[in-house]
Amino acid sequence: MDLRIKDGEVQVRGANVTAGYEGNVTSDHITPDGWLRTGDLGRIDAEGFLFLTGRAKEIINRGGEKISPHEIEHAALSCEGVIEAAAFARPHASLGEEVGLAVTFDAAGNLEALRKVLDAALAPFKQPRKILMLDPLPRLGSGKIDRRALAALEPENVEQVYENVEDNVVTKHVVAAWRAVLPDTEGQPLTSDLDFFDAGGDSLAAAQFLFEVERLTGRALPVNLLYEAPEFGRFVQAVQDAPLRAFADASDPKHAFLQSRLATWKAPEVAGVPFMRALHVDTPGNPLFWCAQEENEYQQLSFAFEGKRPLYLMRSLFLMLGKNDEMSNALAADYATAIAVLQPSGAIRLGGFCEGAKIMRFAARHLIEMGREVQIIIAWDQWFDVPLAAPTLHLWSDERYTLYQRKTPFPERAIAPAHPTGYEVLRVGGAHTQVLTHGPLDAIIPKIEMALDAGICAEPHVFPAIFDRPVSGKIKTSTSLFFKRGQQVMARVLLTNTGAEAWQATQAAPLFVTAQVRNLDGHIANPLAGFAEITAPVAPGETRAIKMQIDAPSAFQPIKLYIDLVDNASNSSSSNGLSSRGKFLFPILF
């Protein structure tokens, strides 16, 4: 008879080995290459001796990790005072199975010593979350330990290891955090031996739970505390014994900067969350998490949202010397973790002004990676270049809109590729900080409220592109050599398509002929001094004549006029080989 070990299982074949079991599917017991799967686990030592270590059906599958119960039992039996040990699979809400362990102690045995032995001998994912103390262990008629009976035991059937902890402030904070992260436990008694992971917790919930307990209690907790003390009673005791934590790392330049800048903010602090303030926290409604640059950038919003929704406030690294996107992203990751805890369920609403909107864009990405839904980002005066799967309402001041036009003549269209889940643009007027800091917001708030409550159109905007690749053609401009300051100049533009493809254009998706005015030193005086639409295709070899009005500057100085073609997606022909020669124009005295 031949013998082998395959994936830990003993397999045999030979003339005296059965070809299968009557009434059972042969493929369940016979491998494709003819080996009988015995169902026994084993190993072969260096001298060729076979040692049986258990049964394959006893393997514990913890979230895809295969764990042998005999490895757990061997570690437990190495502890002084343990007479018997039996590991078994316990049902788990998210992992499928979890490691359980039952032991019988003699007079010298104790649970604390056993846990120390197991911590030293086993990897964290192999640690039993609950240890039952039984005397004797349940057995089958054959004398073998009944692992199924152990898995079916309820907490009230076993000895309570820990007494109920004192109902103090720390306990109340732990209860609040437990209920927030595991909402299904609401209304259920939290007994001292209730295991966090048995109650439905997983690694992500554990991280959120620890953060929330740290926030509420102000204690410094080790990251593996919940794995070392998953039972409610032991965890509460560990939190009570933990030292108070410092709310900021003085060695971190970001923290030092934020601490100094937030010192004068009058909004109340959020307990246990560094560098976060809150207003209207007792107000019903979905909260808005807003990142500002200075204190005067949230006060108008506070008045507008009073009585409607909580407003959580953060600050960007605006004015910090040496800051960069890497530092802003790291800060956003901290904010995202805090946001996920402060709002443990439901779609999240983010917003920010200028650099604060950039921080919230980073935070949105971190939240999405956590599996959270971001319903909306309110981005006030911030341009998005990198695609982000979160609907966005852009609020643009006139000052910033003019700045964006120096990049592209039609910013509303050019920003579309960064918004695969949809966006809207709202022009708010005024200078960069004027409307946000001084108001009025009466015309803007209803649109913001609608986006916060109902979201925006989630359909992405798709604009036809013509000039996103090399283009062949000619542009010729005819206009007066002189202009009157502050008035309009009539220009006639001849466009010739010398390429092999038509320049497609329709009423719904036109092409644009745009005019840009520059000073003689190259400075752009007006990025969009005028434009006209082409609403029918320009065929190869065709010349199209276009008339357009151009706004002349008020300054008494010569200018240079440039004509460009822009497609519906805001791609310009000048970026792909087709541009006009600048035409000089001169002001007249009267």
Side-chain angles (χ1 to χ4, degrees):
M1 182 179 68
D2 298 324
L3 180 148
R4 72 177 183 182
I5 306 295
K6 182 74 170 180
D7 296 329
E9 183 183 33
V10 178
Q11 299 181 359
V12 295
R13 72 177 179 184
N16 59 340
V17 175
T18 181
Y21 297 100
E22 184 177 358
N24 288 326
V25 179
T26 301
S27 60
D28 291 342
H29 304 284
I30 306 296
T31 67
D33 54 350
W35 291 82
L36 174 68
R37 301 177 59 190
T38 66
D40 290 315
L41 300 177
R43 61 182 177 85
I44 299 175
D45 69 6
E47 298 180 3
F49 288 99
L50 171 66
F51 293 83
L52 298 181
T53 59
R55 296 286 294 168
K57 64 182 180 181
E58 296 171 352
I59 288 292
I60 302 166
N61 187 347
R62 182 186 183 274
E65 295 282 358
K66 302 299 195 305
I67 303 170
S68 169
H70 298 280
E71 180 183 0
I72 313 300
E73 294 164 359
H74 179 76
L77 290 170
S78 69
C79 177
E80 183 180 357
V82 176
I83 300 174
E84 281 191 306
F88 55 94
R90 304 181 65 247
H92 190 275
S94 59
L95 297 173
E97 293 180 342
E98 181 60 281
V99 177
L101 177 64
V103 296
T104 300
F105 286 125
D106 64 15
N110 65 82
L111 195 61
E112 184 176 355
L114 175 58
R115 286 198 177 278
K116 289 181 179 179
V117 171
L118 296 177
D119 288 345
L122 300 174
F125 72 91
K126 297 180 180 180
Q127 296 285 342
R129 301 304 175 199
K130 183 182 291 295
I131 299 177
L132 310 181
M133 297 187 301
L134 301 175
D135 188 12
L137 299 182
R139 297 184 181 275
L140 299 170
S142 63
K144 295 182 179 179
I145 293 175
D146 189 347
R147 300 181 194 274
R148 291 186 178 180
L150 288 173
L153 286 177
E154 297 294 335
E156 57 265 25
N157 300 127
V158 300
E159 180 180 345
Q160 295 288 331
V161 179
Y162 296 100
E163 299 299 327
N164 288 332
V165 294
E166 182 183 356
D167 187 17
N168 55 24
V169 174
V170 170
T171 304
K172 291 178 180 178
H173 285 324
V174 174
V175 169
W178 189 294
R179 304 282 197 209
V181 176
L182 301 178
D184 290 344
T185 64
E186 188 68 41
Q188 300 176 8
L190 300 184
T191 58
S192 60
D193 69 335
L194 179 61
D195 187 292
F196 179 85
F197 299 97
D198 290 341
D202 53 24
S203 57
L204 176 59
Q208 294 177 327
F209 176 63
L210 276 179
F211 183 90
E212 180 69 348
V213 173
E214 279 195 327
R215 182 183 77 82
L216 294 173
T217 64
R219 308 292 176 130
L221 305 179
V223 294
N224 61 341
L225 176 60
L226 197 54
Y227 295 94
E228 295 180 349
E231 299 90 351
F232 180 79
R234 292 179 65 215
F235 182 82
V236 169
Q237 188 61 54
V239 174
Q240 290 174 330
D241 295 340
L244 292 173
R245 68 181 176 90
F247 289 144
D249 181 0
S251 64
D252 188 328
K254 302 191 303 296
H255 289 191
F257 172 79
L258 290 173
Q259 198 165 40
S260 66
R261 302 299 297 194
L262 292 172
T264 59
W265 282 31
K266 295 181 176 59
E269 296 183 10
V270 177
V273 180
F275 318 124
M276 188 176 285
R277 304 290 191 268
L279 296 167
H280 323 315
V281 291
D282 296 326
T283 304
N286 297 308
L288 171 62
F289 297 91
W290 183 267
C291 189
Q293 297 186 133
E294 295 288 12
E295 186 176 24
N296 64 349
E297 294 168 3
Y298 69 76
Q299 292 164 342
Q300 292 290 326
L301 289 176
S302 173
F303 296 146
F305 292 139
E306 187 172 4
K308 297 180 179 178
R309 66 179 71 248
L311 183 62
Y312 288 92
L313 303 167
M314 291 147 280
R315 194 195 188 282
S316 73
L317 299 177
F318 174 67
L319 296 181
M320 177 181 173
L321 295 177
K323 72 176 187 299
N324 53 43
D325 280 358
E326 183 179 353
M327 298 170 69
S328 293
N329 187 41
L331 178 62
D334 293 337
Y335 285 156
T337 304
I339 290 168
V341 170
L342 290 169
Q343 186 184 328
S345 62
I348 294 172
R349 296 148 180 87
L350 306 175
F353 175 71
C354 195
E355 197 170 309
K358 178 194 285 188
I359 295 283
M360 289 294 96
R361 177 168 63 86
F362 288 146
R365 190 185 69 220
H366 291 296
L367 287 164
I368 292 170
E369 290 173 352
M370 293 178 189
R372 299 301 301 274
E373 177 189 357
V374 176
Q375 174 166 307
I376 191 72
I377 301 178
I378 310 294
W380 196 311
D381 274 0
Q382 178 63 209
W383 183 273
F384 286 8
D385 288 317
V386 180
L388 177 68
T392 303
L393 174 61
H394 282 282
L395 307 177
W396 286 345
S397 66
D398 287 346
E399 181 180 342
R400 280 304 170 101
Y401 189 79
T402 300
L403 178 64
Y404 298 152
Q405 280 188 316
R406 297 181 185 277
K407 294 183 178 181
T408 175
F410 303 106
E412 298 96 329
R413 298 170 181 269
I415 205 169
H419 298 288
T421 54
Y423 72 100
E424 293 182 18
V425 173
L426 182 63
R427 298 281 299 277
V428 300
H432 181 42
T433 62
Q434 177 184 349
V435 177
L436 180 60
T437 58
H438 296 91
L441 300 182
D442 297 348
I444 304 170
I445 287 299
K447 184 65 177 180
I448 295 177
E449 286 282 8
M450 184 180 299
L452 292 174
D453 290 334
I456 62 173
C457 175
E459 293 296 324
H461 298 274
V462 180
F463 299 111
I466 303 294
F467 303 128
D468 58 345
R469 51 194 179 274
V471 59
S472 298
K474 295 179 182 179
I475 300 176
K476 185 178 180 180
T477 307
S478 299
T479 186
S480 171
L481 188 60
F482 301 97
F483 65 88
K484 290 184 178 181
R485 290 175 292 163
Q487 297 188 19
Q488 288 189 322
V489 179
M490 175 63 72
R492 184 172 185 268
V493 180
L494 295 179
L495 305 172
T496 302
N497 182 354
T498 61
E501 296 182 25
W503 299 343
Q504 298 297 334
T506 64
Q507 289 280 355
L511 297 180
F512 302 93
V513 184
T514 65
Q516 183 183 89
V517 171
R518 300 184 190 179
N519 298 336
L520 297 188
D521 61 1
H523 173 74
I524 299 175
N526 189 340
L528 190 63
F531 72 92
E533 293 186 359
I534 301 175
T535 58
V538 181
E542 180 184 353
T543 296
R544 183 76 56 85
I546 303 294
K547 290 183 178 180
M548 58 190 302
Q549 297 283 353
I550 298 170
D551 296 327
S554 299
F556 186 76
Q557 60 183 19
I559 61 172
K560 205 169 185 181
L561 178 65
Y562 288 87
I563 302 297
D564 201 355
L565 275 174
V566 178
D567 64 21
N568 213 244
S570 209
N571 299 303
S572 64
S573 64
S574 60
S575 299
N576 285 284
L578 174 59
S579 60
S580 69
R581 297 177 60 184
K583 183 176 181 63
F584 289 102
L585 302 180
F586 300 91
I588 58 177
L589 292 174
F590 51 88

